[in-house]
Amino acid sequence: MNEPTGDVLTFGVEEEFFVVDRRGHLSQAGDDVVDAAEAAGDDQGELQHELSRSQAEAATDVCRTHTEALRQLRALRGDLAQAARRRGCRLLPAASPVLFEADPPSITPNPRYERMAEHFGATARTSLTCGCHVHVAIPDKETGIRVLGWIRPWLPALLTVTANSAVSDGYDTGYSSWRYQQWSRWPSAGPPPRFASLDEYESIVDAWLRAGSILDRGMIYWDVRLSEKQPTLEFRIADVAATPEEAVLLAVLARGLVATALDGEAPPPHLSNEVLRAQMWRASREGVMGCCPHPKSGNLEPAKAVLDDLIALTAPALEAAGDLEFAREGTARLAADGGGADRQRRRFAERQRGEDVVDLLAGDS
């Protein structure tokens, strides 16, 4: 496996999961699972509580190579799955609840989460999703704004990589990433505009705070944003991946885009937010086995062809980071077998049972 040839951008990956009972319905044991896994696991990575008591979150340490990230994600998933099994539950890497839930899950007893639930009502209680977030190091926020503008047209392609929420509430939604549609209910969610400056970015955030459409800066839910806690650009666009390999594929593609933008390559054409929002809708519907708007033309092309062009564009950065072979192999697997959404849809079509999809995603957990 190729190793980095010099200084590379560091990155980290965060994954959110559902904790479900043996049949696949949401459990209230998420907090207990996180605490138990944290006590029993090793020192790599971090486990965290989430908005709902039916969720658990895992985050890698700062990583330099894709092999390091993959090793940590596998270990963190394994720790959570083992802790869930010991409580008669399962860890479910699905971006939306697979089975119909008659009652909304309980909110984690945390002052911030409780305030969010009170302020946003059904949006907080019913827009229950699990995402995958990738942090890529940037020199400073001003540079991050420039990079953010450069990568915007590639967001639809990135969404297709981990699309993993085709089956939700017990039926086939017709979308590969139903999570993206659900998450869009939040007032601060969606694709970011192309900012003229950091001041413009901050002015929008300030206006949101004054309007009460966000309660704090942690609720900046753009598909890509400046991280509030680390010197990183945070990609928040993706479903939680069905496999660790697909999560890391997303991460190396995101890092490749950031590194290419930093090297001053010519950016794609200007893209309005109205058009980008429509393109995101299309990508969330189609997934990796369908069509995706190409950043250079806006025309629909097979998602695999768009991803191939993304890899060609970022190949020098991918190669320097030791990621080029991994990225090519990962996208080839997606083109041949489909992503998480395609596997969900195929399994559901066999007997029209959401429980079968739970079994597929949860594996032995």
Side-chain angles (χ1 to χ4, degrees):
M1 197 65 70
N2 293 334
E3 292 295 324
T5 57
D7 291 336
V8 297
L9 302 176
T10 55
F11 70 101
V13 182
E14 301 170 354
E15 295 190 297
E16 300 163 348
F17 305 98
F18 291 118
V19 176
V20 299
D21 61 23
R22 296 306 303 174
R23 183 169 176 238
H25 285 286
L26 298 179
S27 166
Q28 303 299 308
D31 290 349
D32 293 339
V33 167
V34 168
D35 291 342
E38 194 169 36
D42 58 29
D43 293 332
Q44 285 198 318
E46 183 180 1
L47 301 174
Q48 302 167 348
H49 301 280
E50 254 298 329
L51 174 64
S52 163
R53 296 182 69 180
S54 300
Q55 292 175 286
E57 181 174 342
T60 69
D61 295 327
V62 176
C63 297
R64 189 167 179 266
T65 67
H66 67 261
T67 53
E68 181 183 5
L70 188 56
R71 181 175 63 252
Q72 290 193 32
L73 288 182
R74 286 170 174 166
L76 290 165
R77 286 192 182 206
D79 290 343
L80 286 170
Q82 185 177 41
R85 281 196 300 271
R86 290 175 175 170
R87 282 149 186 80
C89 298
R90 308 170 85 178
L91 188 73
L92 189 66
S96 293
V98 173
L99 302 182
F100 174 75
E101 304 291 341
D103 299 310
S106 300
I107 299 297
T108 298
N110 169 291
R112 178 174 181 265
Y113 292 154
E114 291 170 342
R115 186 175 173 225
M116 288 170 60
E118 180 180 0
H119 189 78
F120 292 96
T123 298
R125 295 184 179 276
T126 62
S127 299
L128 185 61
T129 64
C130 289
C132 175
H133 305 159
V134 176
H135 289 259
V136 181
I138 53 174
D140 52 65
K141 289 187 174 183
E142 288 79 6
T143 304
I145 290 296
R146 179 177 66 82
V147 172
L148 192 155
W150 195 97
I151 64 178
R152 287 173 66 252
W154 291 100
L155 292 176
L158 292 181
L159 177 59
T160 69
V161 172
T162 65
N164 186 35
S165 46
V167 177
S168 184
D169 288 337
Y171 68 97
D172 187 333
T173 65
Y175 288 82
S176 292
S177 177
W178 181 237
R179 176 207 61 86
Y180 192 81
Q181 301 302 315
Q182 293 176 297
W183 189 250
S184 296
R185 298 174 186 173
W186 290 97
S188 58
R194 186 165 188 166
F195 303 103
S197 64
L198 179 59
D199 285 343
E200 183 184 11
Y201 181 101
E202 293 295 345
S203 70
I204 293 175
V205 173
D206 179 65
W208 281 348
L209 287 165
R210 287 186 283 112
S213 57
I214 62 174
L215 299 181
D216 55 45
R217 295 180 65 91
M219 293 190 70
I220 302 170
Y221 288 157
W222 277 314
D223 295 336
V224 183
R225 70 178 185 184
L226 300 174
S227 174
E228 291 299 312
K229 297 180 179 179
Q230 297 94 19
T232 64
L233 201 61
E234 182 182 0
F235 292 74
R236 300 177 55 86
I237 189 172
D239 288 10
V240 64
T243 68
E245 290 78 9
E246 289 165 357
V248 177
L249 174 61
L250 170 74
V252 302
L253 293 176
R255 175 167 67 166
L257 277 169
V258 173
T260 302
L262 288 172
D263 281 345
E265 295 289 339
H270 174 70
L271 182 63
S272 73
N273 227 41
E274 291 78 10
V275 173
L276 180 55
R277 185 176 293 276
Q279 292 182 349
M280 296 301 302
W281 174 85
R282 185 69 187 225
S284 73
R285 178 179 180 270
E286 299 271 328
V288 77
M289 295 292 278
C291 290
C292 178
H294 197 290
K296 293 183 179 179
S297 66
N299 296 329
L300 289 175
E301 296 187 20
K304 175 57 167 59
V306 179
L307 290 173
D308 284 345
D309 285 351
L310 189 160
I311 290 175
L313 174 69
T314 59
L318 292 170
E319 188 168 19
D323 295 335
L324 184 56
E325 180 183 354
F326 179 84
R328 285 173 171 166
E329 291 177 349
T331 54
R333 279 195 301 271
L334 289 177
D337 302 328
D342 304 294
R343 297 191 291 273
Q344 285 188 28
R345 188 165 282 130
R346 288 196 296 266
R347 180 61 63 90
F348 185 76
E350 294 173 0
R351 298 197 298 171
Q352 304 293 308
R353 295 182 74 251
E355 290 84 355
D356 294 344
V357 176
V358 171
D359 291 343
L360 170 71
L361 292 170
D364 295 332
S365 67

